Amino acid sequence: MTDPTQALSFGAVAADYDRFRPRYPQEAVRWALDGLAPSARVVDLGAGTGILTRAVLALGHRAVPVEPDPGMRAQLDAGTPGTVALAGSAESVPLPDAAADAVVVGQAYHWFDRERAHAEIARVVRPGGVFAPIWNVRDEEVSWVAELSRIAHIGDSAGNVIDKYADFGPDFDPIELGRFAHTSTLTPDEVIELLHTRSYWLTATAKERRKVDRELRDLFATHPDLAGRDTVGLPYQTLVFRARRR
């Protein structure tokens, strides 16, 4: 069961979320939507501030973002000219049957009530269409990245994500998995600001927040791969889980 307090904790930091969260590589989004006709109608569920919505638009498709948090919707509308986010959720999508050629999700899938969401997504996607959740996960084979995740209480490693999400239910074909590597270059302070947009930090006590920040600053000051550097490359794997609607 997801925690609704955590799931709706991001609106207060929507501008920082949009600024610091990593982007999705275009090749990953292109692979997710492979086979769709030009200018397909793509619903972005749990669209947040529009990071994935803008990637879909950049490929020439029509994006329909759906997001429950009003603060995130306002940031999406401000940062994505010509696009207005719809109020709704994965379990209650404000669109008619078979209205979409594809549904994508960026980072938000783990917040869904999956049984209800799968049925609703199957209702909205036309037969032969695509459902594709997409994750950016840190490459924890890099020692300092693994330590960063431990300090910031982040548990969504590539292995965990792949093991957890095996299928999308009877309305969808078996999942195809795509992997794409990329790096986000940030200053140490920007990495800390990025982690301040995570649900753990947003819902933590003031004492817990101070402890996380102190340990993060110690990591950047003392780790041999980080000490003295003005910027760091935060390595990611983008995982795409793609399935066709039966």
Side-chain angles (χ1 to χ4, degrees):
M1 180 70 70
T2 59
D3 182 343
T5 302
Q6 288 190 323
L8 295 176
S9 64
F10 302 105
V13 293
D16 284 347
Y17 188 106
D18 198 55
R19 178 182 175 190
F20 295 118
R21 285 291 181 112
R23 275 38 187 170
Y24 301 98
Q26 284 297 93
E27 60 268 29
V29 183
R30 185 177 292 109
W31 187 85
L33 302 176
D34 183 53
L36 296 186
S39 195
R41 194 180 197 204
V42 179
V43 174
D44 181 7
L45 273 186
T49 63
I51 293 171
L52 182 54
T53 293
R54 292 190 288 273
V56 169
L57 291 170
L59 293 177
H61 295 302
R62 294 171 291 150
V64 182
V66 176
E67 166 58 40
D69 189 309
M72 300 292 264
R73 289 199 306 273
Q75 182 65 41
L76 187 154
D77 294 349
T80 317
T83 302
V84 177
L86 302 179
S89 68
E91 299 79 19
S92 181
V93 181
L95 292 169
D97 295 356
D101 298 301
V103 169
V104 294
V105 185
Q107 303 297 120
Y109 181 65
H110 67 287
W111 297 117
F112 295 176
D113 179 330
R114 280 187 281 158
E115 185 174 348
R116 292 173 57 207
H118 290 163
E120 184 70 342
I121 293 162
R123 180 187 69 78
V124 170
V125 179
R126 63 167 175 79
V130 171
F131 175 43
I134 303 174
W135 275 269
N136 280 318
V137 293
R138 293 148 316 287
D139 183 354
E140 295 186 349
E141 292 185 5
V142 178
S143 64
W144 72 264
V145 178
E147 182 65 5
L148 182 87
S149 296
R150 184 195 66 77
I151 293 168
H153 296 260
I154 303 172
D156 56 345
S157 68
N160 289 342
V161 171
I162 292 168
D163 290 344
K164 188 172 183 179
Y165 304 119
D167 69 81
F168 299 143
D171 295 312
F172 294 93
D173 287 344
I175 292 170
E176 301 172 271
L177 177 64
R179 294 175 181 247
F180 304 84
H182 65 112
T183 299
S184 182
T185 301
L186 301 165
T187 68
D189 283 345
E190 286 173 338
V191 174
I192 293 172
E193 291 296 329
L194 163 66
L195 297 173
H196 286 180
T197 71
R198 303 282 310 191
S199 60
Y200 174 83
W201 196 90
L202 290 169
T203 58
T205 65
K207 181 179 179 180
E208 290 168 334
R209 288 181 175 188
R210 288 193 296 271
K211 180 176 184 292
V212 168
D213 285 1
R214 182 175 63 253
E215 292 185 6
L216 289 172
R217 295 193 185 282
D218 287 345
L219 175 66
F220 284 111
T222 62
H223 194 284
D225 292 339
L226 301 175
R229 297 184 58 178
D230 294 330
T231 61
V232 297
L234 184 52
Y236 286 95
Q237 283 190 58
T238 298
L239 305 177
V240 183
F241 294 72
R242 182 180 70 185
R244 300 281 172 181
R245 172 73 164 90
R246 288 175 174 157

